[in-house]
Amino acid sequence: MSSHDSPERDRTTTDADRTERLVERLVDDAAASLGLFSTYLGDRLGYYDALAGASPATAADLAAATGTDERYAREWLEHQTVLGILAVEDADAPAAERRFSLPAAHAEVVTDPDSPNHAVPLAQLVAGAVKPLERVVEAYRTGAGVPFEEYGRDLREGQARINRPTFRSTLGAEWIPTMPDVDERLRRDARASPTSGAATGGRPSDSPTRTSRFAWTATTWTRHPSRPPGRRSPRRASPTG
């Protein structure tokens, strides 16, 4: 048991303390949500791709490279720097002259669709998850469901992209072979139709790589998937540890 969960602390914690902690948590959650949507913009607009491996760029440079507005590009660059995702070379320079870069250690996370550390699709997935929010509110009132198609392209693409590294490596190499009858049938069908099957969920790539540190199902996402899903459908799979 950690110190902040100890009975001694609980006995000395007042209602005012609990109120304050909840306020702080909600403020932190709101800030994190805004940061995630800023990351969504960087992914969607190609900002990360433009910065990856390039020389430090001004807002004008980034806007020109991506066909976007310089003012908005500058706001995004500043926000991402505050979040710690980007670095600024000359913070004291006038705003229009500041140069920003994407650290090499961060590039894999936001630009490499086949990396096991490619976490940026989570931003797209979450953006899609809130798209039909009014329909979800109504569903809670009526007990009706919300059709999957209401969540739109972002949820579908985000789910596909976050699963891509695992599906392109572990699915065929490790998981399916644990089901010999399914494995044999898929191999037989592949021999009969060599073009069957397609990769999805990211930029085109010819080579399967490593297992993703993230996996998404219809109900939750988890880090470090390590067990094969057995015969359960991927959309109904339980979280793996």
Side-chain angles (χ1 to χ4, degrees):
M1 178 180 291
S2 63
S3 60
H4 63 272
D5 292 327
S6 67
E8 291 77 10
R9 180 181 175 89
D10 287 341
R11 283 196 293 268
T12 59
T13 299
T14 66
D15 283 346
D17 294 330
R18 296 187 185 96
T19 298
E20 182 64 22
R21 287 209 302 266
L22 179 57
V23 170
E24 290 176 356
R25 175 179 174 177
L26 292 177
V27 170
D28 289 345
D29 286 349
S33 297
L34 294 174
L36 195 64
F37 290 118
S38 173
T39 298
Y40 171 88
L41 290 173
D43 182 42
R44 179 78 179 268
L45 295 170
Y47 285 161
Y48 294 127
D49 287 336
L51 292 169
S55 300
T58 64
D61 295 333
L62 182 63
T66 57
T68 56
D69 180 79
E70 179 180 347
R71 156 83 184 277
Y72 283 101
R74 182 167 64 249
E75 296 287 346
W76 181 84
L77 288 164
E78 300 282 1
H79 188 199
Q80 289 278 296
T81 302
V82 171
L83 292 175
I85 297 175
L86 300 183
V88 60
E89 270 197 346
D90 38 11
D92 294 329
E97 298 175 16
R98 293 175 196 151
R99 295 185 176 275
F100 300 84
S101 61
L102 177 63
H106 295 177
E108 179 184 6
V109 178
V110 295
T111 65
D112 184 355
D114 289 321
S115 167
N117 297 317
H118 190 54
V120 76
L122 291 172
Q124 185 180 22
L125 195 155
V126 171
V130 299
K131 181 175 185 290
L133 197 53
E134 287 300 320
R135 292 290 304 272
V136 172
V137 171
E138 188 63 23
Y140 267 78
R141 292 189 174 118
T142 65
V146 179
F148 185 72
E149 58 268 21
E150 292 286 333
Y151 289 87
R153 171 181 171 179
D154 279 329
L155 184 70
R156 294 192 303 272
E157 288 190 358
Q159 180 175 351
R161 293 172 66 203
I162 204 66
N163 287 333
R164 176 186 173 93
T166 297
F167 281 12
R168 286 179 61 83
S169 57
T170 309
L171 180 65
E174 299 178 20
W175 291 357
I176 290 178
T178 66
M179 304 177 285
D181 54 333
V182 174
D183 187 40
E184 192 281 329
R185 178 173 179 179
L186 289 173
R187 292 179 186 278
R188 184 177 65 243
D189 291 348
R191 288 192 295 269
S193 178
T195 59
S196 64
T200 187
R203 301 174 186 83
S205 175
D206 296 325
S207 58
T209 55
R210 300 156 289 172
T211 303
S212 174
R213 298 173 62 193
F214 307 89
W216 172 266
T217 70
T219 56
T220 189
W221 72 275
T222 183
R223 298 187 67 171
H224 307 295
S226 59
R227 294 190 298 271
R231 291 182 178 274
R232 290 175 294 182
S233 163
R235 288 187 58 194
R236 294 184 177 272
S238 299
T240 53

